[in-house]
Amino acid sequence: MTIRPLLLILPLFLEIEGNQHHKHHHAFVNSSCKKQNRIPVSHSRSSSFDDYTSSSKVLNNFQLQQQPSHSSSDTTQEEQQGANSRRSFNNAVVSGAISYMSAGLLQNGLQPIAAAAAATADENNIDVYFGCGCFWHVQHEFVEAEKKILGRTSAASMTSRAGYAGGLAGADGGKVCYHNALNVADYGKLGHAEVVKVSIPPSSFPQFAQEYFKLFDDKGFRPDQFGDKGPEYRNLVGIPGGAKGEYGQQLVDASTSIGDKLDFAIGKGDDKDLAKVAFVMDTTRFPFYVAENYHQFHDGFNFGENYPAKYNKIAQELSKNGENFGSCPNGMVGIGIGGL
């Protein structure tokens, strides 16, 4: 383990003279986006976490779980905890769905992409965020989603931003920063995970949720599941109102339409990194904090996952036009490239 930081940093310095926009690596091995070969592991599933449910059975489970529980001789403590936590999330989603259906606000089914693209100009955008491991690759996928779903093609029109969310501590001195040598407002120590925020018309949320679920493989694992591990890379979805809000059921429906790959949990902040589980956060309680300029529109984490130079330069263009990406220290050792 002691030589891995050197192996990750060495290619960076070999390439830095060539193209600073491509093939950079994080040096912080246990708490950074890392390019590496994926190591297969056994596919096991935990049942001891809080407030989770299988998305395809949200409504059915809600009714089934009102039945009397098994006797203590038939049910382990861990199984009972799982049943209680599933019931909690189910109650939240169903309660929210009933409220919005009674108010005439919850639409039946998913809207076709064409309908989202035709959203009226006076529809007020909502901010949502998605976390799925390292934010570099995720941001690129949501930039592509903005192009496809909403027809956003110019840098000025794109709203996808890499950043941090999900921690109970919020900001430290008004800042949330990537790992840095000065130890200023470290996002991991503040309990946050890497996420990507987009600002979208409400009618397009189901399509963006579908794009998020497409990031996971058929078994529910994210692309870097066995590389980047830990709470900083946990799966998050931040929506207005959280699980009880207008978008909770829409999120579940979108998941079901893409293969029902994930379970959901009500995010309480500082949550664990659990495979095949996405924590649903209320964006009011757990707001988004934008990441540093050098993390925006970055190449992906896999070897060879290099995006066009025009894409890499979007952050520079936005900064010239006055966008503020904060005043955090410039990476681990002050270079400001690839997390260094």
Side-chain angles (χ1 to χ4, degrees):
M1 292 298 294
T2 58
I3 66 170
R4 290 181 69 189
L6 295 177
L7 294 177
L8 289 172
I9 294 174
L10 180 58
L12 171 67
F13 286 97
L14 291 176
E15 294 172 359
I16 199 168
E17 292 294 330
N19 184 350
Q20 293 186 350
H21 290 293
H22 296 290
K23 301 180 183 177
H24 295 308
H25 315 294
H26 277 285
F28 199 88
V29 174
N30 291 324
S31 300
S32 63
C33 302
K34 303 181 290 295
K35 294 184 179 182
Q36 61 180 40
N37 294 326
R38 303 301 168 213
I39 303 174
V41 300
S42 59
H43 298 150
S44 60
R45 196 162 205 169
S46 170
S47 60
S48 61
F49 49 89
D50 294 333
D51 297 332
Y52 75 96
T53 182
S54 175
S55 62
S56 66
K57 302 178 180 64
V58 169
L59 298 179
N60 290 337
N61 279 353
F62 174 71
Q63 295 188 7
L64 291 174
Q65 289 165 2
Q66 307 313 307
Q67 305 300 322
S69 60
H70 297 291
S71 66
S72 58
S73 62
D74 296 328
T75 307
T76 67
Q77 182 177 359
E78 187 173 85
E79 288 171 341
Q80 187 61 49
Q81 181 182 358
N84 291 337
S85 60
R86 283 193 296 274
R87 184 181 300 113
S88 177
F89 186 82
N90 291 347
N91 288 348
V93 173
V94 173
S95 175
I98 291 173
S99 295
Y100 282 96
M101 281 191 290
S102 64
L105 297 176
L106 184 61
Q107 300 179 18
N108 293 324
L110 295 175
Q111 297 180 3
I113 290 177
T120 58
D122 60 353
E123 189 177 5
N124 293 325
N125 286 346
I126 57 170
D127 288 341
V128 297
Y129 57 75
F130 300 91
C132 178
C134 175
F135 48 21
W136 292 344
H137 170 76
V138 177
Q139 183 177 28
H140 178 264
E141 296 307 297
F142 278 102
V143 166
E144 293 301 306
E146 288 192 80
K147 292 179 182 178
K148 178 177 69 173
I149 298 170
L150 301 176
R152 295 172 176 172
T153 57
S154 68
S157 67
M158 295 174 185
T159 65
S160 297
R161 299 292 184 271
Y164 315 107
L168 290 170
D172 183 358
K175 297 180 180 181
V176 177
C177 304
Y178 188 72
H179 310 298
N180 59 87
L182 299 179
N183 200 30
V184 173
D186 185 297
Y187 82 98
K189 295 180 179 179
L190 294 174
H192 295 298
E194 297 186 9
V195 299
V196 171
K197 185 205 75 171
V198 289
S199 182
I200 58 176
S203 60
S204 70
F205 174 72
Q207 286 72 49
F208 279 86
Q210 287 178 325
E211 294 302 316
Y212 173 67
F213 295 120
K214 290 177 184 177
L215 296 174
F216 298 85
D217 68 18
D218 291 340
K219 296 180 180 178
F221 294 124
R222 60 180 182 254
D224 59 352
Q225 187 73 57
F226 309 118
D228 289 332
K229 298 180 180 179
E232 296 164 11
Y233 305 105
R234 64 189 183 269
N235 307 321
L236 293 182
V237 179
I239 50 179
K244 297 181 180 181
E246 179 179 357
Y247 304 98
Q249 186 63 50
Q250 294 184 33
L251 180 70
V252 171
D253 291 343
S255 174
T256 303
S257 73
I258 302 297
D260 195 20
K261 304 173 183 178
L262 300 179
D263 289 341
F264 295 100
I266 297 175
K268 299 178 179 179
D270 295 3
D271 301 293
K272 298 178 180 180
D273 180 18
L274 300 172
K276 308 181 185 182
V277 177
F279 291 95
V280 181
M281 319 300 294
D282 185 340
T283 53
T284 300
R285 184 182 178 193
F286 298 100
F288 169 86
Y289 301 93
V290 69
E292 297 83 348
N293 181 297
Y294 64 85
H295 277 307
Q296 306 295 333
F297 308 98
H298 199 288
D299 288 335
F301 49 77
N302 283 323
F303 287 118
E305 193 175 6
N306 301 322
Y307 307 129
K310 183 178 180 181
Y311 172 85
N312 298 140
K313 294 178 180 178
I314 292 176
Q316 182 180 357
E317 180 178 344
L318 294 173
S319 293
K320 287 182 179 179
N321 291 332
E323 183 161 343
N324 183 7
F325 290 101
S327 58
C328 288
N330 207 14
M332 287 292 293
V333 293
I335 296 176
I337 299 173
L340 297 177

